[in-house]
Amino acid sequence: MPPSRLLLVEDEDDLRFLICDALSDLGYEVTTASNGKEAIAELNGESRFDHVVTDVSMPHGISGLDVAAEAAKVQPLARLVLVSGYQRSQLPQIPEGTRFLPKPYRIHQLLGVLQDEEA
């Protein structure tokens, strides 16, 4: 079975690098984006993703909710995970079928959400 392709959208550089390295070590093929604009460009490019993991709050006017909505539209087979320091109840409605993971989280928690999604 080929590795799962994952788009990781995180504006905090250190966290993005850490998570990318950890998921790559676990066999995921990870593409990263540091903001919503980069993420939407990746989603509309030639790559197809099995998972899209995006922070909700990001700079430059395109939020993780915008990224999730675009992913649902252009890559409907991708499984979506939103992460945020906000509680889910503090966020606007998230796209149906999207998983939510509160920050801070540990790699094993993210992995659990991803593996649960694959089952």
Side-chain angles (χ1 to χ4, degrees):
M1 185 159 105
S4 288
R5 296 165 311 231
L6 186 142
L7 175 61
L8 174 65
V9 190
E10 174 59 61
D11 61 309
E12 294 178 40
D13 293 340
D14 292 343
L15 186 54
R16 186 175 63 254
F17 296 137
L18 176 75
I19 295 168
C20 177
D21 286 348
L23 291 175
S24 294
D25 288 347
L26 292 167
Y28 287 86
E29 185 180 301
V30 183
T31 300
T32 62
S34 62
N35 60 55
K37 184 176 180 180
E38 289 177 13
I40 288 176
E42 288 290 343
L43 289 167
N44 285 290
E46 295 195 16
S47 294
R48 292 292 157 250
F49 298 101
D50 299 303
H51 304 278
V52 176
V53 178
T54 181
D55 191 3
V56 170
S57 298
M58 286 187 291
H60 310 302
I62 299 175
S63 74
L65 293 167
D66 299 325
V67 171
E70 184 71 8
K73 183 172 76 175
V74 301
Q75 296 207 28
L77 298 179
R79 297 174 187 107
L80 307 175
V81 179
L82 282 172
V83 298
S84 179
Y86 294 104
Q87 294 179 11
R88 185 174 181 160
S89 62
Q90 294 175 294
L91 300 174
Q93 184 174 357
I94 62 176
E96 187 175 330
T98 301
R99 298 291 304 265
F100 179 78
L101 184 62
K103 278 180 149 182
Y105 59 88
R106 299 197 188 287
I107 294 297
H108 76 271
Q109 291 171 304
L110 174 58
L111 192 59
V113 170
L114 294 174
Q115 290 174 341
D116 182 46
E117 297 247 318
E118 292 171 351

